[in-house]
PDB file of all heavy atoms in Angstrom:
ATOM      1  N   LYS A 316      -5.880  61.680 166.099  1.00  0.00           N
ATOM      2  CA  LYS A 316      -6.507  61.741 164.775  1.00  0.00           C
ATOM      3  C   LYS A 316      -7.303  60.470 164.496  1.00  0.00           C
ATOM      4  O   LYS A 316      -8.357  60.535 163.850  1.00  0.00           O
ATOM      5  CB  LYS A 316      -5.450  61.969 163.700  1.00  0.00           C
ATOM      6  CG  LYS A 316      -4.971  63.419 163.628  1.00  0.00           C
ATOM      7  CD  LYS A 316      -3.884  63.532 162.581  1.00  0.00           C
ATOM      8  CE  LYS A 316      -3.502  64.964 162.310  1.00  0.00           C
ATOM      9  NZ  LYS A 316      -2.309  65.033 161.429  1.00  0.00           N
ATOM     10  N   ILE A 317      -6.830  59.322 164.957  1.00  0.00           N
ATOM     11  CA  ILE A 317      -7.572  58.067 164.749  1.00  0.00           C
ATOM     12  C   ILE A 317      -8.932  58.173 165.440  1.00  0.00           C
ATOM     13  O   ILE A 317      -9.978  57.884 164.861  1.00  0.00           O
ATOM     14  CB  ILE A 317      -6.766  56.854 165.278  1.00  0.00           C
ATOM     15  CG1 ILE A 317      -5.557  56.607 164.372  1.00  0.00           C
ATOM     16  CG2 ILE A 317      -7.654  55.594 165.357  1.00  0.00           C
ATOM     17  CD1 ILE A 317      -4.590  55.548 164.882  1.00  0.00           C
ATOM     18  N   LEU A 318      -8.913  58.649 166.696  1.00  0.00           N
ATOM     19  CA  LEU A 318     -10.150  58.763 167.475  1.00  0.00           C
ATOM     20  C   LEU A 318     -11.134  59.732 166.808  1.00  0.00           C
ATOM     21  O   LEU A 318     -12.325  59.450 166.689  1.00  0.00           O
ATOM     22  CB  LEU A 318      -9.784  59.258 168.876  1.00  0.00           C
ATOM     23  CG  LEU A 318     -10.546  58.683 170.039  1.00  0.00           C
ATOM     24  CD1 LEU A 318     -10.386  57.173 170.070  1.00  0.00           C
ATOM     25  CD2 LEU A 318     -10.026  59.283 171.346  1.00  0.00           C
ATOM     26  N   LEU A 319     -10.626  60.870 166.354  1.00  0.00           N
ATOM     27  CA  LEU A 319     -11.481  61.871 165.712  1.00  0.00           C
ATOM     28  C   LEU A 319     -12.029  61.335 164.389  1.00  0.00           C
ATOM     29  O   LEU A 319     -13.213  61.515 164.075  1.00  0.00           O
ATOM     30  CB  LEU A 319     -10.704  63.168 165.471  1.00  0.00           C
ATOM     31  CG  LEU A 319     -10.303  63.932 166.746  1.00  0.00           C
ATOM     32  CD1 LEU A 319      -9.383  65.103 166.391  1.00  0.00           C
ATOM     33  CD2 LEU A 319     -11.520  64.436 167.487  1.00  0.00           C
ATOM     34  N   GLY A 320     -11.189  60.646 163.637  1.00  0.00           N
ATOM     35  CA  GLY A 320     -11.610  60.066 162.370  1.00  0.00           C
ATOM     36  C   GLY A 320     -12.756  59.079 162.581  1.00  0.00           C
ATOM     37  O   GLY A 320     -13.733  59.060 161.825  1.00  0.00           O
ATOM     38  N   GLN A 321     -12.659  58.274 163.655  1.00  0.00           N
ATOM     39  CA  GLN A 321     -13.724  57.312 163.967  1.00  0.00           C
ATOM     40  C   GLN A 321     -15.026  58.016 164.307  1.00  0.00           C
ATOM     41  O   GLN A 321     -16.105  57.451 164.148  1.00  0.00           O
ATOM     42  CB  GLN A 321     -13.292  56.410 165.129  1.00  0.00           C
ATOM     43  CG  GLN A 321     -12.247  55.389 164.711  1.00  0.00           C
ATOM     44  CD  GLN A 321     -11.602  54.692 165.904  1.00  0.00           C
ATOM     45  OE1 GLN A 321     -11.799  55.087 167.048  1.00  0.00           O
ATOM     46  NE2 GLN A 321     -10.814  53.659 165.629  1.00  0.00           N
ATOM     47  N   ALA A 322     -14.921  59.257 164.794  1.00  0.00           N
ATOM     48  CA  ALA A 322     -16.121  60.020 165.156  1.00  0.00           C
ATOM     49  C   ALA A 322     -16.670  60.798 163.962  1.00  0.00           C
ATOM     50  O   ALA A 322     -17.552  61.643 164.120  1.00  0.00           O
ATOM     51  CB  ALA A 322     -15.794  60.968 166.311  1.00  0.00           C
ATOM     52  N   GLY A 323     -16.147  60.551 162.772  1.00  0.00           N
ATOM     53  CA  GLY A 323     -16.658  61.187 161.569  1.00  0.00           C
ATOM     54  C   GLY A 323     -16.114  62.589 161.341  1.00  0.00           C
ATOM     55  O   GLY A 323     -16.675  63.370 160.561  1.00  0.00           O
ATOM     56  N   ILE A 324     -15.006  62.899 162.025  1.00  0.00           N
ATOM     57  CA  ILE A 324     -14.381  64.212 161.844  1.00  0.00           C
ATOM     58  C   ILE A 324     -13.285  64.068 160.783  1.00  0.00           C
ATOM     59  O   ILE A 324     -12.453  63.162 160.894  1.00  0.00           O
ATOM     60  CB  ILE A 324     -13.834  64.707 163.193  1.00  0.00           C
ATOM     61  CG1 ILE A 324     -15.028  65.086 164.072  1.00  0.00           C
ATOM     62  CG2 ILE A 324     -12.878  65.886 163.034  1.00  0.00           C
ATOM     63  CD1 ILE A 324     -14.821  64.868 165.514  1.00  0.00           C
ATOM     64  N   PRO A 325     -13.309  64.906 159.732  1.00  0.00           N
ATOM     65  CA  PRO A 325     -12.308  64.730 158.675  1.00  0.00           C
ATOM     66  C   PRO A 325     -10.897  65.052 159.182  1.00  0.00           C
ATOM     67  O   PRO A 325     -10.653  66.157 159.697  1.00  0.00           O
ATOM     68  CB  PRO A 325     -12.727  65.729 157.593  1.00  0.00           C
ATOM     69  CG  PRO A 325     -14.009  66.344 158.037  1.00  0.00           C
ATOM     70  CD  PRO A 325     -14.225  66.030 159.475  1.00  0.00           C
ATOM     71  N   VAL A 326     -10.005  64.077 159.073  1.00  0.00           N
ATOM     72  CA  VAL A 326      -8.608  64.284 159.487  1.00  0.00           C
ATOM     73  C   VAL A 326      -7.703  63.942 158.310  1.00  0.00           C
ATOM     74  O   VAL A 326      -8.050  63.089 157.497  1.00  0.00           O
ATOM     75  CB  VAL A 326      -8.225  63.402 160.711  1.00  0.00           C
ATOM     76  CG1 VAL A 326      -8.940  63.845 161.958  1.00  0.00           C
ATOM     77  CG2 VAL A 326      -8.482  61.928 160.445  1.00  0.00           C
ATOM     78  N   ILE A 327      -6.551  64.581 158.254  1.00  0.00           N
ATOM     79  CA  ILE A 327      -5.616  64.293 157.172  1.00  0.00           C
ATOM     80  C   ILE A 327      -5.002  62.907 157.417  1.00  0.00           C
ATOM     81  O   ILE A 327      -4.742  62.540 158.565  1.00  0.00           O
ATOM     82  CB  ILE A 327      -4.543  65.417 157.088  1.00  0.00           C
ATOM     83  CG1 ILE A 327      -3.919  65.489 155.704  1.00  0.00           C
ATOM     84  CG2 ILE A 327      -3.454  65.258 158.138  1.00  0.00           C
ATOM     85  CD1 ILE A 327      -4.562  66.461 154.790  1.00  0.00           C
ATOM     86  N   ASP A 328      -4.801  62.149 156.354  1.00  0.00           N
ATOM     87  CA  ASP A 328      -4.228  60.804 156.455  1.00  0.00           C
ATOM     88  C   ASP A 328      -2.842  60.888 157.121  1.00  0.00           C
ATOM     89  O   ASP A 328      -1.941  61.541 156.609  1.00  0.00           O
ATOM     90  CB  ASP A 328      -4.126  60.231 155.026  1.00  0.00           C
ATOM     91  CG  ASP A 328      -3.719  58.770 155.015  1.00  0.00           C
ATOM     92  OD1 ASP A 328      -3.619  58.156 156.097  1.00  0.00           O
ATOM     93  OD2 ASP A 328      -3.498  58.235 153.903  1.00  0.00           O
ATOM     94  N   THR A 329      -2.707  60.262 158.296  1.00  0.00           N
ATOM     95  CA  THR A 329      -1.491  60.394 159.116  1.00  0.00           C
ATOM     96  C   THR A 329      -1.040  59.030 159.631  1.00  0.00           C
ATOM     97  O   THR A 329      -1.849  58.277 160.155  1.00  0.00           O
ATOM     98  CB  THR A 329      -1.775  61.314 160.323  1.00  0.00           C
ATOM     99  OG1 THR A 329      -2.268  62.570 159.852  1.00  0.00           O
ATOM    100  CG2 THR A 329      -0.533  61.549 161.169  1.00  0.00           C
ATOM    101  N   ARG A 330       0.257  58.705 159.481  1.00  0.00           N
ATOM    102  CA  ARG A 330       0.790  57.428 159.993  1.00  0.00           C
ATOM    103  C   ARG A 330       2.031  57.698 160.845  1.00  0.00           C
ATOM    104  O   ARG A 330       2.670  58.731 160.696  1.00  0.00           O
ATOM    105  CB  ARG A 330       1.206  56.505 158.839  1.00  0.00           C
ATOM    106  CG  ARG A 330       0.324  56.558 157.620  1.00  0.00           C
ATOM    107  CD  ARG A 330      -0.895  55.656 157.754  1.00  0.00           C
ATOM    108  NE  ARG A 330      -1.707  55.782 156.528  1.00  0.00           N
ATOM    109  CZ  ARG A 330      -1.553  55.002 155.461  1.00  0.00           C
ATOM    110  NH1 ARG A 330      -0.658  54.041 155.451  1.00  0.00           N
ATOM    111  NH2 ARG A 330      -2.297  55.192 154.382  1.00  0.00           N
ATOM    112  N   LEU A 331       2.359  56.726 161.667  1.00  0.00           N
ATOM    113  CA  LEU A 331       3.545  56.866 162.515  1.00  0.00           C
ATOM    114  C   LEU A 331       4.717  56.080 161.932  1.00  0.00           C
ATOM    115  O   LEU A 331       4.599  54.878 161.701  1.00  0.00           O
ATOM    116  CB  LEU A 331       3.247  56.370 163.935  1.00  0.00           C
ATOM    117  CG  LEU A 331       4.416  56.471 164.918  1.00  0.00           C
ATOM    118  CD1 LEU A 331       4.793  57.928 165.190  1.00  0.00           C
ATOM    119  CD2 LEU A 331       4.098  55.766 166.226  1.00  0.00           C
ATOM    120  N   ALA A 332       5.831  56.768 161.709  1.00  0.00           N
ATOM    121  CA  ALA A 332       7.057  56.107 161.245  1.00  0.00           C
ATOM    122  C   ALA A 332       8.024  56.018 162.421  1.00  0.00           C
ATOM    123  O   ALA A 332       8.226  57.002 163.131  1.00  0.00           O
ATOM    124  CB  ALA A 332       7.682  56.913 160.110  1.00  0.00           C
ATOM    125  N   ARG A 333       8.598  54.834 162.613  1.00  0.00           N
ATOM    126  CA  ARG A 333       9.556  54.679 163.715  1.00  0.00           C
ATOM    127  C   ARG A 333      11.000  54.739 163.231  1.00  0.00           C
ATOM    128  O   ARG A 333      11.920  54.842 164.035  1.00  0.00           O
ATOM    129  CB  ARG A 333       9.292  53.377 164.465  1.00  0.00           C
ATOM    130  CG  ARG A 333       7.900  53.388 165.098  1.00  0.00           C
ATOM    131  CD  ARG A 333       7.751  52.314 166.161  1.00  0.00           C
ATOM    132  NE  ARG A 333       6.385  52.248 166.627  1.00  0.00           N
ATOM    133  CZ  ARG A 333       5.902  52.958 167.645  1.00  0.00           C
ATOM    134  NH1 ARG A 333       6.699  53.791 168.318  1.00  0.00           N
ATOM    135  NH2 ARG A 333       4.644  52.856 168.000  1.00  0.00           N
ATOM    136  N   THR A 334      11.181  54.655 161.899  1.00  0.00           N
ATOM    137  CA  THR A 334      12.531  54.764 161.322  1.00  0.00           C
ATOM    138  C   THR A 334      12.448  55.631 160.064  1.00  0.00           C
ATOM    139  O   THR A 334      11.355  55.871 159.540  1.00  0.00           O
ATOM    140  CB  THR A 334      13.068  53.381 160.880  1.00  0.00           C
ATOM    141  OG1 THR A 334      12.209  52.879 159.840  1.00  0.00           O
ATOM    142  CG2 THR A 334      13.095  52.385 162.039  1.00  0.00           C
ATOM    143  N   LYS A 335      13.622  56.039 159.593  1.00  0.00           N
ATOM    144  CA  LYS A 335      13.677  56.848 158.379  1.00  0.00           C
ATOM    145  C   LYS A 335      13.159  56.045 157.188  1.00  0.00           C
ATOM    146  O   LYS A 335      12.434  56.567 156.347  1.00  0.00           O
ATOM    147  CB  LYS A 335      15.129  57.265 158.141  1.00  0.00           C
ATOM    148  CG  LYS A 335      15.275  58.403 157.164  1.00  0.00           C
ATOM    149  CD  LYS A 335      16.711  58.657 156.792  1.00  0.00           C
ATOM    150  CE  LYS A 335      17.500  59.277 157.925  1.00  0.00           C
ATOM    151  NZ  LYS A 335      18.871  59.630 157.492  1.00  0.00           N
ATOM    152  N   LYS A 336      13.503  54.769 157.188  1.00  0.00           N
ATOM    153  CA  LYS A 336      13.060  53.880 156.105  1.00  0.00           C
ATOM    154  C   LYS A 336      11.520  53.803 156.071  1.00  0.00           C
ATOM    155  O   LYS A 336      10.907  53.895 155.009  1.00  0.00           O
ATOM    156  CB  LYS A 336      13.664  52.485 156.333  1.00  0.00           C
ATOM    157  CG  LYS A 336      13.994  51.758 155.063  1.00  0.00           C
ATOM    158  CD  LYS A 336      14.774  50.479 155.379  1.00  0.00           C
ATOM    159  CE  LYS A 336      14.294  49.372 154.454  1.00  0.00           C
ATOM    160  NZ  LYS A 336      14.239  48.059 155.086  1.00  0.00           N
ATOM    161  N   ASP A 337      10.937  53.635 157.257  1.00  0.00           N
ATOM    162  CA  ASP A 337       9.466  53.653 157.420  1.00  0.00           C
ATOM    163  C   ASP A 337       8.868  54.924 156.839  1.00  0.00           C
ATOM    164  O   ASP A 337       7.847  54.896 156.157  1.00  0.00           O
ATOM    165  CB  ASP A 337       9.121  53.756 158.919  1.00  0.00           C
ATOM    166  CG  ASP A 337       8.825  52.418 159.529  1.00  0.00           C
ATOM    167  OD1 ASP A 337       9.036  51.415 158.845  1.00  0.00           O
ATOM    168  OD2 ASP A 337       8.391  52.416 160.700  1.00  0.00           O
ATOM    169  N   ALA A 338       9.488  56.055 157.168  1.00  0.00           N
ATOM    170  CA  ALA A 338       8.974  57.365 156.752  1.00  0.00           C
ATOM    171  C   ALA A 338       8.942  57.446 155.233  1.00  0.00           C
ATOM    172  O   ALA A 338       7.967  57.923 154.644  1.00  0.00           O
ATOM    173  CB  ALA A 338       9.820  58.489 157.337  1.00  0.00           C
ATOM    174  N   VAL A 339       9.997  56.944 154.600  1.00  0.00           N
ATOM    175  CA  VAL A 339      10.069  56.992 153.135  1.00  0.00           C
ATOM    176  C   VAL A 339       8.985  56.102 152.529  1.00  0.00           C
ATOM    177  O   VAL A 339       8.252  56.521 151.626  1.00  0.00           O
ATOM    178  CB  VAL A 339      11.476  56.583 152.630  1.00  0.00           C
ATOM    179  CG1 VAL A 339      11.487  56.428 151.108  1.00  0.00           C
ATOM    180  CG2 VAL A 339      12.512  57.602 153.079  1.00  0.00           C
ATOM    181  N   SER A 340       8.839  54.871 153.064  1.00  0.00           N
ATOM    182  CA  SER A 340       7.850  53.978 152.447  1.00  0.00           C
ATOM    183  C   SER A 340       6.422  54.474 152.714  1.00  0.00           C
ATOM    184  O   SER A 340       5.564  54.395 151.840  1.00  0.00           O
ATOM    185  CB  SER A 340       8.078  52.529 152.871  1.00  0.00           C
ATOM    186  OG  SER A 340       7.476  52.280 154.097  1.00  0.00           O
ATOM    187  N   LEU A 341       6.165  55.035 153.905  1.00  0.00           N
ATOM    188  CA  LEU A 341       4.828  55.576 154.191  1.00  0.00           C
ATOM    189  C   LEU A 341       4.509  56.775 153.289  1.00  0.00           C
ATOM    190  O   LEU A 341       3.379  56.919 152.823  1.00  0.00           O
ATOM    191  CB  LEU A 341       4.709  55.980 155.661  1.00  0.00           C
ATOM    192  CG  LEU A 341       4.606  54.822 156.660  1.00  0.00           C
ATOM    193  CD1 LEU A 341       4.672  55.336 158.091  1.00  0.00           C
ATOM    194  CD2 LEU A 341       3.317  54.034 156.437  1.00  0.00           C
ATOM    195  N   SER A 342       5.506  57.622 153.018  1.00  0.00           N
ATOM    196  CA  SER A 342       5.269  58.780 152.133  1.00  0.00           C
ATOM    197  C   SER A 342       4.837  58.304 150.768  1.00  0.00           C
ATOM    198  O   SER A 342       3.940  58.885 150.150  1.00  0.00           O
ATOM    199  CB  SER A 342       6.511  59.637 151.918  1.00  0.00           C
ATOM    200  OG  SER A 342       7.288  59.700 153.028  1.00  0.00           O
ATOM    201  N   GLY A 343       5.481  57.244 150.277  1.00  0.00           N
ATOM    202  CA  GLY A 343       5.122  56.689 148.974  1.00  0.00           C
ATOM    203  C   GLY A 343       3.673  56.226 148.965  1.00  0.00           C
ATOM    204  O   GLY A 343       2.944  56.435 148.002  1.00  0.00           O
ATOM    205  N   LYS A 344       3.267  55.588 150.074  1.00  0.00           N
ATOM    206  CA  LYS A 344       1.891  55.079 150.161  1.00  0.00           C
ATOM    207  C   LYS A 344       0.875  56.214 150.244  1.00  0.00           C
ATOM    208  O   LYS A 344      -0.186  56.158 149.633  1.00  0.00           O
ATOM    209  CB  LYS A 344       1.745  54.183 151.390  1.00  0.00           C
ATOM    210  CG  LYS A 344       2.316  52.799 151.156  1.00  0.00           C
ATOM    211  CD  LYS A 344       2.158  51.913 152.373  1.00  0.00           C
ATOM    212  CE  LYS A 344       3.029  50.669 152.231  1.00  0.00           C
ATOM    213  NZ  LYS A 344       3.586  50.203 153.503  1.00  0.00           N
ATOM    214  N   ILE A 345       1.218  57.245 151.053  1.00  0.00           N
ATOM    215  CA  ILE A 345       0.286  58.363 151.264  1.00  0.00           C
ATOM    216  C   ILE A 345       0.206  59.227 150.004  1.00  0.00           C
ATOM    217  O   ILE A 345      -0.863  59.687 149.630  1.00  0.00           O
ATOM    218  CB  ILE A 345       0.730  59.194 152.494  1.00  0.00           C
ATOM    219  CG1 ILE A 345       0.481  58.380 153.771  1.00  0.00           C
ATOM    220  CG2 ILE A 345       0.027  60.539 152.556  1.00  0.00           C
ATOM    221  CD1 ILE A 345       1.083  58.973 155.025  1.00  0.00           C
ATOM    222  N   GLY A 346       1.359  59.420 149.374  1.00  0.00           N
ATOM    223  CA  GLY A 346       1.419  60.244 148.155  1.00  0.00           C
ATOM    224  C   GLY A 346       1.956  61.636 148.446  1.00  0.00           C
ATOM    225  O   GLY A 346       1.484  62.306 149.363  1.00  0.00           O
ATOM    226  N   PHE A 347       2.940  62.062 147.653  1.00  0.00           N
ATOM    227  CA  PHE A 347       3.567  63.377 147.854  1.00  0.00           C
ATOM    228  C   PHE A 347       2.642  64.485 147.393  1.00  0.00           C
ATOM    229  O   PHE A 347       1.791  64.222 146.537  1.00  0.00           O
ATOM    230  CB  PHE A 347       4.888  63.429 147.073  1.00  0.00           C
ATOM    231  CG  PHE A 347       5.901  62.446 147.585  1.00  0.00           C
ATOM    232  CD1 PHE A 347       6.136  61.250 146.900  1.00  0.00           C
ATOM    233  CD2 PHE A 347       6.597  62.697 148.753  1.00  0.00           C
ATOM    234  CE1 PHE A 347       7.058  60.325 147.382  1.00  0.00           C
ATOM    235  CE2 PHE A 347       7.528  61.775 149.241  1.00  0.00           C
ATOM    236  CZ  PHE A 347       7.753  60.594 148.549  1.00  0.00           C
ATOM    237  N   PRO A 348       2.733  65.712 147.900  1.00  0.00           N
ATOM    238  CA  PRO A 348       3.654  66.129 148.955  1.00  0.00           C
ATOM    239  C   PRO A 348       3.179  65.698 150.344  1.00  0.00           C
ATOM    240  O   PRO A 348       1.985  65.581 150.572  1.00  0.00           O
ATOM    241  CB  PRO A 348       3.643  67.661 148.834  1.00  0.00           C
ATOM    242  CG  PRO A 348       2.317  67.992 148.246  1.00  0.00           C
ATOM    243  CD  PRO A 348       1.934  66.832 147.377  1.00  0.00           C
TER     244      PRO A 348
END
Side-chain angles (χ1 to χ4, degrees):
K316 283 177 172 172
I317 290 173
L318 218 58
L319 292 173
Q321 287 168 350
I324 288 148
V326 291
I327 203 94
D328 188 6
T329 304
R330 323 276 179 91
L331 180 66
R333 298 196 187 270
T334 63
K335 196 189 288 185
K336 214 172 141 217
D337 263 8
V339 171
S340 84
L341 287 173
S342 325
K344 282 181 194 145
I345 289 170
F347 296 102

